[in-house]
Amino acid sequence: MFDSLADRLQSVFKKIRGHGRLDEKSVQEGLREVRLALLEADVNFKVVKDFVDRVRDRAMGQDVLGSLTPGQQVVKIVHDEMVELLGGEHLGLQLQGKTPAIIMLVGLQGSGKTTTAAKLALHLRRMKRSPYLVPADVYRPAAIDQLHTLAGQLGVPAFASTPEMKPVDICMQAREEAVRKGLDVLLVDTAGRLHIDELLMEELVAIKAAAGPQEILFVADAMTGQDAVNVAVKFDELLDLTGIVLTKMEGDARGGAALSIKSVTGKPIKFVGMGEKVSDLEVFHPDRVASRILG
Ligand code: GDP
């Protein structure tokens, strides 16, 4: 992931590190290249501007330029600011409160919600939780079957939703069933559309009001870049998301969505999808990802 961005930035850093002494002009030149690399990676324009301004403000002081290792210090400042851009401190799932805890997965059709629900079930089981998969996409019967198939493969229980049921009723009944079965986390796979759709949004708001989920995770295809960010903003306005899952990251050479979405929405990336298999889910650690990009 991020291969082309990483290559670009690492070659800029090589130049900066190579300078025994750094003057303002060479820092400005380096930052100009960082700016171009981020723009080419499809990072949001304003996010790039703010990022470069912050690095410049911190890098231009005498304590950096006059130091013994100015190049390394500038690289460290870029690293620190990139960790912030990616979300700062890692934040895991917040499942405190009522049992069963409820995680709602929302997003456009094809973004990877159903696959992510199964991946999260595996992740939760590894955390010694007892997940319950809840298919609430009644418009696409294939989606219910798809989740049941994945549940069968994992040996995780799934609620027996039918296309005739209302999504809010599915959630309420699944919650009762979870209590009976002693399951402690519901993973609710909601319906998606190709575009933002008012009726669908109303339905998601109704599910949120009835179920009171601890987590509402927006699932987006990283390859769609700034479109993913724009859609996240719309979902966040209506649902007040708690986090983001970016899927298909293993094929994303640029990283525009990952580097913009926290700054633009204020919501952290909690997981990334790295392939189609149920085991291809990684917890998102901003510091590790920044190191991977910057070398
Ligand atoms: P939904 O409509 O949002 O439920 O999306 P699906 O879960 O059905 O996923 C749509 C397609 O994306 C499927 O073919 C998945 O296998 C694929 N997919 C989901 N996550 C990933 C990922 O992290 N990497 C890759 N390469 N494919 C993914």
Short mmCIF file of all heavy atoms in Angstrom, two decimals, residues 170-233:
data_model
loop_
_atom_site.label_atom_id
_atom_site.label_comp_id
_atom_site.label_asym_id
_atom_site.label_seq_id
_atom_site.Cartn_x
_atom_site.Cartn_y
_atom_site.Cartn_z
N ILE A 170 -35.21 -6.27 12.76
CA ILE A 170 -34.11 -7.24 12.74
C ILE A 170 -33.16 -6.96 13.91
O ILE A 170 -32.80 -7.86 14.67
CB ILE A 170 -33.35 -7.17 11.39
CG1 ILE A 170 -34.21 -7.73 10.26
CG2 ILE A 170 -32.01 -7.93 11.48
CD1 ILE A 170 -33.58 -7.64 8.88
N CYS A 171 -32.80 -5.68 14.06
CA CYS A 171 -31.83 -5.33 15.11
C CYS A 171 -32.40 -5.63 16.50
O CYS A 171 -31.70 -6.17 17.36
CB CYS A 171 -31.44 -3.86 15.02
SG CYS A 171 -30.52 -3.51 13.54
N MET A 172 -33.68 -5.27 16.70
CA MET A 172 -34.28 -5.48 18.02
C MET A 172 -34.38 -6.96 18.35
O MET A 172 -34.04 -7.40 19.45
CB MET A 172 -35.68 -4.84 18.08
CG MET A 172 -35.71 -3.33 17.89
SD MET A 172 -34.76 -2.48 19.17
CE MET A 172 -33.22 -2.27 18.37
N GLN A 173 -34.81 -7.74 17.36
CA GLN A 173 -34.96 -9.18 17.60
C GLN A 173 -33.59 -9.85 17.77
O GLN A 173 -33.43 -10.75 18.59
CB GLN A 173 -35.72 -9.84 16.46
CG GLN A 173 -37.19 -9.44 16.46
CD GLN A 173 -37.96 -10.20 15.37
OE1 GLN A 173 -37.62 -11.31 15.01
NE2 GLN A 173 -39.01 -9.56 14.85
N ALA A 174 -32.63 -9.38 16.97
CA ALA A 174 -31.28 -9.96 17.08
C ALA A 174 -30.69 -9.68 18.46
O ALA A 174 -30.00 -10.52 19.03
CB ALA A 174 -30.37 -9.39 15.98
N ARG A 175 -31.01 -8.50 18.99
CA ARG A 175 -30.48 -8.17 20.32
C ARG A 175 -31.05 -9.13 21.37
O ARG A 175 -30.32 -9.65 22.22
CB ARG A 175 -30.79 -6.72 20.68
CG ARG A 175 -30.26 -6.35 22.05
CD ARG A 175 -29.99 -4.89 22.19
NE ARG A 175 -31.23 -4.13 22.14
CZ ARG A 175 -31.27 -2.80 22.12
NH1 ARG A 175 -30.15 -2.10 22.12
NH2 ARG A 175 -32.41 -2.18 22.09
N GLU A 176 -32.37 -9.36 21.28
CA GLU A 176 -32.99 -10.30 22.24
C GLU A 176 -32.39 -11.69 22.11
O GLU A 176 -32.10 -12.36 23.10
CB GLU A 176 -34.50 -10.38 22.00
CG GLU A 176 -35.23 -9.13 22.48
CD GLU A 176 -36.68 -9.13 22.02
OE1 GLU A 176 -37.21 -10.22 21.70
OE2 GLU A 176 -37.27 -8.04 21.98
N GLU A 177 -32.23 -12.09 20.86
CA GLU A 177 -31.67 -13.42 20.58
C GLU A 177 -30.24 -13.53 21.12
O GLU A 177 -29.85 -14.57 21.68
CB GLU A 177 -31.67 -13.61 19.06
CG GLU A 177 -31.40 -14.99 18.55
CD GLU A 177 -32.56 -15.95 18.77
OE1 GLU A 177 -33.71 -15.49 18.96
OE2 GLU A 177 -32.29 -17.16 18.78
N ALA A 178 -29.47 -12.44 20.97
CA ALA A 178 -28.08 -12.44 21.46
C ALA A 178 -28.07 -12.64 22.98
O ALA A 178 -27.23 -13.39 23.50
CB ALA A 178 -27.39 -11.14 21.08
N VAL A 179 -28.98 -11.96 23.67
CA VAL A 179 -29.04 -12.10 25.14
C VAL A 179 -29.33 -13.56 25.48
O VAL A 179 -28.67 -14.15 26.34
CB VAL A 179 -30.12 -11.16 25.73
CG1 VAL A 179 -30.31 -11.43 27.22
CG2 VAL A 179 -29.74 -9.69 25.50
N ARG A 180 -30.31 -14.15 24.77
CA ARG A 180 -30.66 -15.56 25.03
C ARG A 180 -29.47 -16.49 24.80
O ARG A 180 -29.24 -17.44 25.53
CB ARG A 180 -31.81 -16.00 24.14
CG ARG A 180 -33.20 -15.76 24.75
CD ARG A 180 -34.26 -16.58 24.03
NE ARG A 180 -34.44 -16.15 22.66
CZ ARG A 180 -35.21 -15.12 22.29
NH1 ARG A 180 -35.87 -14.43 23.20
NH2 ARG A 180 -35.33 -14.80 21.03
N LYS A 181 -28.70 -16.17 23.71
CA LYS A 181 -27.60 -17.07 23.35
C LYS A 181 -26.29 -16.73 24.08
O LYS A 181 -25.28 -17.39 23.87
CB LYS A 181 -27.34 -16.98 21.83
CG LYS A 181 -28.43 -17.56 20.94
CD LYS A 181 -28.02 -17.32 19.48
CE LYS A 181 -29.06 -17.68 18.46
NZ LYS A 181 -29.27 -19.09 18.24
N GLY A 182 -26.30 -15.65 24.85
CA GLY A 182 -25.08 -15.26 25.56
C GLY A 182 -24.01 -14.67 24.65
O GLY A 182 -22.82 -14.83 24.90
N LEU A 183 -24.44 -14.00 23.57
CA LEU A 183 -23.48 -13.37 22.65
C LEU A 183 -23.34 -11.90 23.03
O LEU A 183 -24.33 -11.26 23.41
CB LEU A 183 -23.98 -13.51 21.21
CG LEU A 183 -24.24 -14.97 20.80
CD1 LEU A 183 -24.97 -15.04 19.47
CD2 LEU A 183 -22.92 -15.74 20.72
N ASP A 184 -22.11 -11.35 22.93
CA ASP A 184 -21.96 -10.02 23.52
C ASP A 184 -21.64 -8.87 22.55
O ASP A 184 -21.53 -7.73 22.98
CB ASP A 184 -20.95 -10.06 24.68
CG ASP A 184 -19.56 -10.46 24.22
OD1 ASP A 184 -19.34 -10.60 23.00
OD2 ASP A 184 -18.69 -10.62 25.09
N VAL A 185 -21.49 -9.15 21.25
CA VAL A 185 -21.31 -8.04 20.29
C VAL A 185 -22.12 -8.31 19.02
O VAL A 185 -21.92 -9.34 18.36
CB VAL A 185 -19.84 -7.84 19.85
CG1 VAL A 185 -19.71 -6.55 19.05
CG2 VAL A 185 -18.88 -7.82 21.03
N LEU A 186 -23.02 -7.40 18.69
CA LEU A 186 -23.76 -7.52 17.42
C LEU A 186 -23.01 -6.76 16.33
O LEU A 186 -22.60 -5.61 16.55
CB LEU A 186 -25.13 -6.85 17.57
CG LEU A 186 -26.34 -7.73 17.88
CD1 LEU A 186 -26.13 -8.49 19.16
CD2 LEU A 186 -27.61 -6.88 17.96
N LEU A 187 -22.83 -7.40 15.19
CA LEU A 187 -22.25 -6.71 14.03
C LEU A 187 -23.36 -6.55 13.01
O LEU A 187 -23.77 -7.54 12.37
CB LEU A 187 -21.11 -7.56 13.46
CG LEU A 187 -19.81 -7.52 14.26
CD1 LEU A 187 -18.95 -8.73 13.92
CD2 LEU A 187 -19.05 -6.23 13.96
N VAL A 188 -23.87 -5.34 12.87
CA VAL A 188 -25.03 -5.12 12.02
C VAL A 188 -24.58 -4.65 10.64
O VAL A 188 -24.00 -3.56 10.49
CB VAL A 188 -25.99 -4.08 12.64
CG1 VAL A 188 -27.21 -3.88 11.75
CG2 VAL A 188 -26.41 -4.51 14.05
N ASP A 189 -24.84 -5.48 9.63
CA ASP A 189 -24.47 -5.16 8.25
C ASP A 189 -25.66 -4.46 7.59
O ASP A 189 -26.66 -5.11 7.30
CB ASP A 189 -24.14 -6.48 7.53
CG ASP A 189 -23.72 -6.28 6.09
OD1 ASP A 189 -23.23 -5.18 5.76
OD2 ASP A 189 -23.88 -7.23 5.30
N THR A 190 -25.58 -3.16 7.40
CA THR A 190 -26.73 -2.41 6.87
C THR A 190 -26.69 -2.35 5.34
O THR A 190 -25.68 -2.67 4.72
CB THR A 190 -26.75 -0.97 7.42
OG1 THR A 190 -25.59 -0.29 6.94
CG2 THR A 190 -26.75 -0.96 8.95
N ALA A 191 -27.80 -1.88 4.79
CA ALA A 191 -27.91 -1.78 3.32
C ALA A 191 -27.08 -0.61 2.81
O ALA A 191 -26.90 0.39 3.49
CB ALA A 191 -29.37 -1.57 2.93
N GLY A 192 -26.58 -0.76 1.60
CA GLY A 192 -25.90 0.36 0.95
C GLY A 192 -26.56 0.63 -0.38
O GLY A 192 -27.34 -0.19 -0.88
N ARG A 193 -26.32 1.78 -0.93
CA ARG A 193 -26.80 2.09 -2.29
C ARG A 193 -25.59 2.52 -3.09
O ARG A 193 -24.52 2.74 -2.55
CB ARG A 193 -27.81 3.25 -2.26
CG ARG A 193 -29.04 2.97 -1.45
CD ARG A 193 -30.09 2.20 -2.24
NE ARG A 193 -31.01 1.52 -1.33
CZ ARG A 193 -32.09 2.07 -0.80
NH1 ARG A 193 -32.43 3.29 -1.09
NH2 ARG A 193 -32.86 1.39 0.02
N LEU A 194 -25.83 2.72 -4.40
CA LEU A 194 -24.71 3.17 -5.23
C LEU A 194 -24.36 4.62 -4.92
O LEU A 194 -23.21 5.04 -5.00
CB LEU A 194 -25.06 3.01 -6.70
CG LEU A 194 -25.15 1.54 -7.15
CD1 LEU A 194 -25.59 1.43 -8.59
CD2 LEU A 194 -23.80 0.84 -6.95
N HIS A 195 -25.39 5.40 -4.54
CA HIS A 195 -25.17 6.80 -4.19
C HIS A 195 -25.89 7.07 -2.88
O HIS A 195 -26.75 6.28 -2.47
CB HIS A 195 -25.71 7.72 -5.27
CG HIS A 195 -25.13 7.45 -6.61
ND1 HIS A 195 -23.87 7.84 -6.95
CD2 HIS A 195 -25.63 6.79 -7.67
CE1 HIS A 195 -23.60 7.42 -8.17
NE2 HIS A 195 -24.66 6.78 -8.64
N ILE A 196 -25.61 8.23 -2.29
CA ILE A 196 -26.32 8.59 -1.06
C ILE A 196 -27.79 8.77 -1.41
O ILE A 196 -28.14 9.39 -2.40
CB ILE A 196 -25.72 9.87 -0.48
CG1 ILE A 196 -24.33 9.53 0.05
CG2 ILE A 196 -26.60 10.42 0.63
CD1 ILE A 196 -23.58 10.69 0.59
N ASP A 197 -28.63 8.21 -0.58
CA ASP A 197 -30.04 8.11 -0.91
C ASP A 197 -30.80 8.48 0.36
O ASP A 197 -30.51 7.94 1.44
CB ASP A 197 -30.24 6.63 -1.31
CG ASP A 197 -31.67 6.25 -1.51
OD1 ASP A 197 -32.48 6.49 -0.60
OD2 ASP A 197 -31.97 5.68 -2.57
N GLU A 198 -31.77 9.40 0.23
CA GLU A 198 -32.41 9.95 1.44
C GLU A 198 -33.14 8.88 2.25
O GLU A 198 -33.04 8.84 3.48
CB GLU A 198 -33.40 11.02 1.01
CG GLU A 198 -33.38 12.22 1.92
CD GLU A 198 -34.15 13.36 1.30
OE1 GLU A 198 -33.63 14.01 0.36
OE2 GLU A 198 -35.29 13.57 1.75
N LEU A 199 -33.86 7.98 1.53
CA LEU A 199 -34.62 6.95 2.24
C LEU A 199 -33.70 6.03 3.03
O LEU A 199 -33.98 5.66 4.17
CB LEU A 199 -35.40 6.10 1.23
CG LEU A 199 -36.79 6.61 0.88
CD1 LEU A 199 -37.41 5.68 -0.16
CD2 LEU A 199 -37.66 6.70 2.13
N LEU A 200 -32.59 5.68 2.39
CA LEU A 200 -31.64 4.80 3.06
C LEU A 200 -31.08 5.48 4.30
O LEU A 200 -30.94 4.88 5.36
CB LEU A 200 -30.51 4.44 2.10
CG LEU A 200 -29.42 3.59 2.73
CD1 LEU A 200 -29.94 2.20 3.05
CD2 LEU A 200 -28.22 3.50 1.83
N MET A 201 -30.76 6.77 4.15
CA MET A 201 -30.21 7.50 5.30
C MET A 201 -31.21 7.54 6.44
O MET A 201 -30.84 7.37 7.60
CB MET A 201 -29.82 8.92 4.88
CG MET A 201 -28.61 8.95 4.00
SD MET A 201 -27.23 8.16 4.84
CE MET A 201 -25.88 8.86 4.03
N GLU A 202 -32.50 7.74 6.09
CA GLU A 202 -33.53 7.75 7.13
C GLU A 202 -33.55 6.41 7.86
O GLU A 202 -33.72 6.34 9.07
CB GLU A 202 -34.91 8.02 6.53
CG GLU A 202 -35.15 9.49 6.25
CD GLU A 202 -36.45 9.71 5.49
OE1 GLU A 202 -37.31 8.80 5.49
OE2 GLU A 202 -36.59 10.80 4.90
N GLU A 203 -33.39 5.36 7.07
CA GLU A 203 -33.41 4.03 7.69
C GLU A 203 -32.23 3.85 8.64
O GLU A 203 -32.38 3.32 9.75
CB GLU A 203 -33.34 2.97 6.58
CG GLU A 203 -33.33 1.55 7.10
CD GLU A 203 -33.25 0.56 5.97
OE1 GLU A 203 -34.19 0.54 5.14
OE2 GLU A 203 -32.26 -0.18 5.89
N LEU A 204 -31.05 4.33 8.23
CA LEU A 204 -29.87 4.19 9.09
C LEU A 204 -30.05 5.01 10.37
O LEU A 204 -29.68 4.55 11.47
CB LEU A 204 -28.61 4.63 8.34
CG LEU A 204 -28.23 3.78 7.13
CD1 LEU A 204 -27.02 4.37 6.40
CD2 LEU A 204 -27.94 2.33 7.54
N VAL A 205 -30.63 6.20 10.24
CA VAL A 205 -30.88 7.04 11.42
C VAL A 205 -31.86 6.32 12.36
O VAL A 205 -31.68 6.32 13.59
CB VAL A 205 -31.41 8.43 10.99
CG1 VAL A 205 -31.91 9.22 12.19
CG2 VAL A 205 -30.31 9.21 10.26
N ALA A 206 -32.86 5.65 11.78
CA ALA A 206 -33.84 4.93 12.60
C ALA A 206 -33.19 3.75 13.31
O ALA A 206 -33.46 3.49 14.49
CB ALA A 206 -35.00 4.45 11.73
N ILE A 207 -32.31 3.03 12.61
CA ILE A 207 -31.61 1.90 13.25
C ILE A 207 -30.75 2.43 14.40
O ILE A 207 -30.75 1.87 15.50
CB ILE A 207 -30.72 1.13 12.25
CG1 ILE A 207 -31.57 0.47 11.15
CG2 ILE A 207 -29.88 0.07 12.96
CD1 ILE A 207 -30.76 -0.24 10.08
N LYS A 208 -30.06 3.54 14.15
CA LYS A 208 -29.21 4.11 15.20
C LYS A 208 -30.05 4.46 16.43
O LYS A 208 -29.69 4.12 17.56
CB LYS A 208 -28.49 5.36 14.67
CG LYS A 208 -27.66 6.02 15.76
CD LYS A 208 -27.01 7.32 15.33
CE LYS A 208 -26.31 7.91 16.55
NZ LYS A 208 -25.66 9.19 16.28
N ALA A 209 -31.20 5.13 16.19
CA ALA A 209 -32.05 5.57 17.31
C ALA A 209 -32.57 4.36 18.10
O ALA A 209 -32.61 4.37 19.33
CB ALA A 209 -33.20 6.40 16.78
N ALA A 210 -32.95 3.31 17.39
CA ALA A 210 -33.54 2.15 18.07
C ALA A 210 -32.47 1.30 18.76
O ALA A 210 -32.68 0.80 19.87
CB ALA A 210 -34.31 1.30 17.06
N ALA A 211 -31.33 1.14 18.11
CA ALA A 211 -30.34 0.19 18.62
C ALA A 211 -29.33 0.82 19.57
O ALA A 211 -28.76 0.15 20.42
CB ALA A 211 -29.60 -0.47 17.45
N GLY A 212 -29.10 2.14 19.43
CA GLY A 212 -28.10 2.80 20.28
C GLY A 212 -26.73 2.15 20.20
O GLY A 212 -26.17 1.72 21.20
N PRO A 213 -26.15 2.07 18.98
CA PRO A 213 -24.87 1.36 18.83
C PRO A 213 -23.72 2.10 19.53
O PRO A 213 -23.72 3.33 19.57
CB PRO A 213 -24.64 1.36 17.32
CG PRO A 213 -25.40 2.55 16.82
CD PRO A 213 -26.60 2.68 17.71
N GLN A 214 -22.76 1.32 20.04
CA GLN A 214 -21.54 1.94 20.60
C GLN A 214 -20.63 2.43 19.48
O GLN A 214 -19.92 3.40 19.63
CB GLN A 214 -20.74 0.91 21.43
CG GLN A 214 -21.23 0.75 22.85
CD GLN A 214 -22.28 -0.33 22.97
OE1 GLN A 214 -22.97 -0.65 21.99
NE2 GLN A 214 -22.41 -0.90 24.15
N GLU A 215 -20.64 1.69 18.36
CA GLU A 215 -19.78 2.07 17.24
C GLU A 215 -20.61 2.15 15.95
O GLU A 215 -21.42 1.25 15.67
CB GLU A 215 -18.68 1.00 17.00
CG GLU A 215 -17.60 0.95 18.08
CD GLU A 215 -16.47 1.96 17.83
OE1 GLU A 215 -16.52 2.72 16.84
OE2 GLU A 215 -15.53 1.95 18.64
N ILE A 216 -20.41 3.23 15.20
CA ILE A 216 -20.95 3.30 13.83
C ILE A 216 -19.74 3.48 12.92
O ILE A 216 -19.12 4.55 12.89
CB ILE A 216 -21.93 4.47 13.66
CG1 ILE A 216 -23.04 4.40 14.71
CG2 ILE A 216 -22.52 4.45 12.23
CD1 ILE A 216 -24.05 5.54 14.59
N LEU A 217 -19.40 2.41 12.23
CA LEU A 217 -18.19 2.44 11.40
C LEU A 217 -18.56 2.65 9.93
O LEU A 217 -19.38 1.90 9.38
CB LEU A 217 -17.41 1.13 11.55
CG LEU A 217 -16.93 0.79 12.97
CD1 LEU A 217 -16.22 -0.58 12.98
CD2 LEU A 217 -15.99 1.87 13.50
N PHE A 218 -17.96 3.65 9.34
CA PHE A 218 -18.19 3.92 7.93
C PHE A 218 -17.16 3.12 7.12
O PHE A 218 -15.95 3.27 7.33
CB PHE A 218 -18.03 5.42 7.66
CG PHE A 218 -18.14 5.78 6.21
CD1 PHE A 218 -19.36 5.76 5.56
CD2 PHE A 218 -17.01 6.16 5.49
CE1 PHE A 218 -19.46 6.09 4.21
CE2 PHE A 218 -17.10 6.49 4.14
CZ PHE A 218 -18.33 6.45 3.52
N VAL A 219 -17.66 2.27 6.24
CA VAL A 219 -16.78 1.42 5.43
C VAL A 219 -16.65 2.03 4.04
O VAL A 219 -17.66 2.32 3.39
CB VAL A 219 -17.36 -0.01 5.33
CG1 VAL A 219 -16.44 -0.91 4.51
CG2 VAL A 219 -17.58 -0.61 6.72
N ALA A 220 -15.42 2.27 3.60
CA ALA A 220 -15.22 2.89 2.29
C ALA A 220 -14.08 2.22 1.54
O ALA A 220 -13.12 1.74 2.15
CB ALA A 220 -14.92 4.37 2.45
N ASP A 221 -14.22 2.20 0.24
CA ASP A 221 -13.19 1.65 -0.64
C ASP A 221 -12.09 2.70 -0.80
O ASP A 221 -12.32 3.78 -1.37
CB ASP A 221 -13.89 1.34 -1.99
CG ASP A 221 -12.93 0.86 -3.06
OD1 ASP A 221 -11.70 0.99 -2.87
OD2 ASP A 221 -13.42 0.36 -4.08
N ALA A 222 -10.90 2.39 -0.29
CA ALA A 222 -9.80 3.35 -0.32
C ALA A 222 -9.45 3.81 -1.73
O ALA A 222 -9.00 4.94 -1.94
CB ALA A 222 -8.56 2.74 0.34
N MET A 223 -9.69 2.91 -2.70
CA MET A 223 -9.31 3.23 -4.08
C MET A 223 -10.16 4.38 -4.65
O MET A 223 -9.81 4.92 -5.69
CB MET A 223 -9.48 2.00 -4.97
CG MET A 223 -8.76 0.77 -4.49
SD MET A 223 -7.05 0.81 -4.92
CE MET A 223 -7.15 0.10 -6.55
N THR A 224 -11.28 4.71 -4.00
CA THR A 224 -12.12 5.78 -4.54
C THR A 224 -11.65 7.17 -4.07
O THR A 224 -12.28 8.18 -4.39
CB THR A 224 -13.61 5.57 -4.21
OG1 THR A 224 -13.77 5.57 -2.78
CG2 THR A 224 -14.13 4.26 -4.77
N GLY A 225 -10.58 7.22 -3.30
CA GLY A 225 -9.92 8.49 -2.99
C GLY A 225 -10.83 9.54 -2.37
O GLY A 225 -11.52 9.27 -1.39
N GLN A 226 -10.86 10.72 -2.96
CA GLN A 226 -11.62 11.83 -2.37
C GLN A 226 -13.13 11.59 -2.40
O GLN A 226 -13.87 12.20 -1.62
CB GLN A 226 -11.29 13.16 -3.05
CG GLN A 226 -9.89 13.65 -2.73
CD GLN A 226 -9.61 13.68 -1.23
OE1 GLN A 226 -10.36 14.25 -0.45
NE2 GLN A 226 -8.55 13.01 -0.82
N ASP A 227 -13.62 10.72 -3.30
CA ASP A 227 -15.05 10.39 -3.26
C ASP A 227 -15.38 9.74 -1.93
O ASP A 227 -16.41 10.02 -1.32
CB ASP A 227 -15.42 9.42 -4.39
CG ASP A 227 -15.48 10.13 -5.73
OD1 ASP A 227 -15.54 11.38 -5.72
OD2 ASP A 227 -15.46 9.44 -6.76
N ALA A 228 -14.50 8.87 -1.47
CA ALA A 228 -14.73 8.20 -0.18
C ALA A 228 -14.81 9.24 0.94
O ALA A 228 -15.65 9.16 1.84
CB ALA A 228 -13.60 7.20 0.10
N VAL A 229 -13.94 10.24 0.86
CA VAL A 229 -13.92 11.28 1.90
C VAL A 229 -15.22 12.09 1.86
O VAL A 229 -15.84 12.34 2.90
CB VAL A 229 -12.70 12.21 1.70
CG1 VAL A 229 -12.69 13.31 2.74
CG2 VAL A 229 -11.40 11.41 1.75
N ASN A 230 -15.65 12.46 0.65
CA ASN A 230 -16.88 13.26 0.53
C ASN A 230 -18.10 12.49 1.03
O ASN A 230 -18.98 13.07 1.68
CB ASN A 230 -17.09 13.69 -0.93
CG ASN A 230 -15.98 14.62 -1.38
OD1 ASN A 230 -15.37 15.32 -0.56
ND2 ASN A 230 -15.68 14.62 -2.67
N VAL A 231 -18.16 11.21 0.72
CA VAL A 231 -19.31 10.40 1.17
C VAL A 231 -19.26 10.25 2.70
O VAL A 231 -20.29 10.31 3.38
CB VAL A 231 -19.33 9.03 0.45
CG1 VAL A 231 -20.45 8.16 0.99
CG2 VAL A 231 -19.49 9.20 -1.05
N ALA A 232 -18.05 10.10 3.24
CA ALA A 232 -17.90 9.98 4.70
C ALA A 232 -18.46 11.22 5.39
O ALA A 232 -19.13 11.13 6.42
CB ALA A 232 -16.43 9.79 5.06
N VAL A 233 -18.20 12.39 4.80
CA VAL A 233 -18.69 13.64 5.40
C VAL A 233 -20.21 13.62 5.48
O VAL A 233 -20.81 13.95 6.51
CB VAL A 233 -18.20 14.86 4.57
CG1 VAL A 233 -18.91 16.14 4.99
CG2 VAL A 233 -16.69 15.01 4.70
#
